[in-house]
Amino acid sequence: MIALLTSPEAWAALFTLTALEIVLGIDNVIFLSVIVSRMPLAQAKRARQIGLALALVFRILLLCLLVWLIGLTRTVLTVNGVTLSWRDLVLIGGGLFLIAKATHEIHTEVEARDPANDDASGPSAFFWVVIQIIIIDMVFSLDSIITAIGMAQDLQIMIAAVVIACLVMYVSSGPVARFVAEHPTTKMLALAFLVLIGVALVADGFRFHIPRGYIYFAIAFSAAVELFNVLAKRNRKKTAQ
């Protein structure tokens, strides 16, 4: 441990891996923000806390099960000449779940809803939200940790990077969730991002890798445009008053 603390290479690896984990955590934060946006404030906060705590637990657990995790990359199925491992199947399943969930939420937002029939605040709804968070946490954790294993050799560095990234996710998830809840157009944009991320996960599962840089650039560019729209709308309201 002392050798790691005094090693410039270890600090460089920690910084690089933490930055990567934070970027990979954007998917998780977007999903959490969207899924809790129709819940009461108290329940939404509790759901976010549960989701991020589970994300941290899943990531550390996977790091401690490296031998089992490496085994997930072995081929278990071949479809039309394409070899698939358990990791690929998890990514495909998670990607399809994201696409289905985002599409359902888009339909709910577009179609008129009767508030009296909206059970987003009921106990069963909260339980269903937690189940969805668990599913997507497992998918994002698997993708994130397999990436981390390829970048660092020391388990302590990987765990430290994961803990720091989860803390950043926790701090940022509240403001992001409030912003999404207060601005309906940003929620639609976030849902579109989830569809895009789901497609990328399915493509990864079939061994067709879409560079994440392209996806995150598209997300950042669209978010910047939407931010300008929100600021312009706010300025117009001030001028009208």
Side-chain angles (χ1 to χ4, degrees), residues 7-21:
S7 170
E9 291 81 6
W11 283 103
L14 176 62
F15 177 80
T16 304
L17 187 55
T18 300
L20 177 64
E21 290 295 317

Side-chain angles (χ1 to χ4, degrees), residues 1 4-23 63 148 151-166 168:
M1 179 62 71
L4 287 176
L5 291 175
T6 57
S7 170
E9 291 81 6
W11 283 103
L14 176 62
F15 177 80
T16 304
L17 187 55
T18 300
L20 177 64
E21 290 295 317
I22 291 172
V23 171
L63 282 173
M151 290 194 61
Q153 302 297 322
D154 295 294
L155 182 62
Q156 296 94 327
I157 292 176
M158 288 187 278
I159 291 178
V162 164
V163 171
I164 295 172
C166 284
V168 172

Side-chain angles (χ1 to χ4, degrees), residues 37 40 94 103 117 133 137 152 233:
S37 61
T103 302
N117 296 327
I133 289 172
D137 270 345
K233 184 178 180 180

Side-chain angles (χ1 to χ4, degrees), residues 54-199:
L54 288 172
L56 178 59
V57 169
F58 282 138
R59 281 161 169 78
I60 293 178
L61 183 62
L62 288 174
L63 282 173
C64 295
L65 296 173
L66 291 181
V67 175
W68 174 80
L69 190 61
I70 292 172
L72 290 181
T73 60
R74 295 178 186 145
T75 300
V76 295
L77 183 66
T78 302
V79 179
N80 292 331
V82 179
T83 58
L84 300 175
S85 65
W86 282 115
R87 171 185 177 270
D88 298 326
L89 294 176
V90 169
L91 292 179
I92 292 170
L96 292 175
F97 172 79
L98 265 186
I99 294 171
K101 176 61 181 175
T103 302
H104 174 74
E105 288 290 330
I106 290 173
H107 175 79
T108 302
E109 289 296 315
V110 172
E111 296 294 327
R113 286 187 290 113
D114 183 5
N117 296 327
D118 191 356
D119 59 350
S121 59
S124 60
F126 180 80
F127 176 75
W128 173 234
V129 164
V130 171
I131 293 298
Q132 292 177 81
I133 289 172
I134 291 173
I135 293 172
I136 213 61
D137 270 345
M138 291 175 63
V139 175
F140 286 148
S141 295
L142 186 65
D143 198 25
S144 171
I145 295 308
I146 288 178
T147 302
I149 292 172
M151 290 194 61
Q153 302 297 322
D154 295 294
L155 182 62
Q156 296 94 327
I157 292 176
M158 288 187 278
I159 291 178
V162 164
V163 171
I164 295 172
C166 284
L167 288 175
V168 172
M169 286 166 57
Y170 179 80
V171 172
S172 62
S173 65
V176 171
R178 284 193 297 272
F179 189 82
V180 169
E182 292 170 3
H183 302 88
T185 55
T186 61
K187 182 176 180 179
M188 193 63 68
L189 186 63
L191 289 169
F193 292 159
L194 290 180
V195 173
L196 181 62
I197 294 166
V199 171

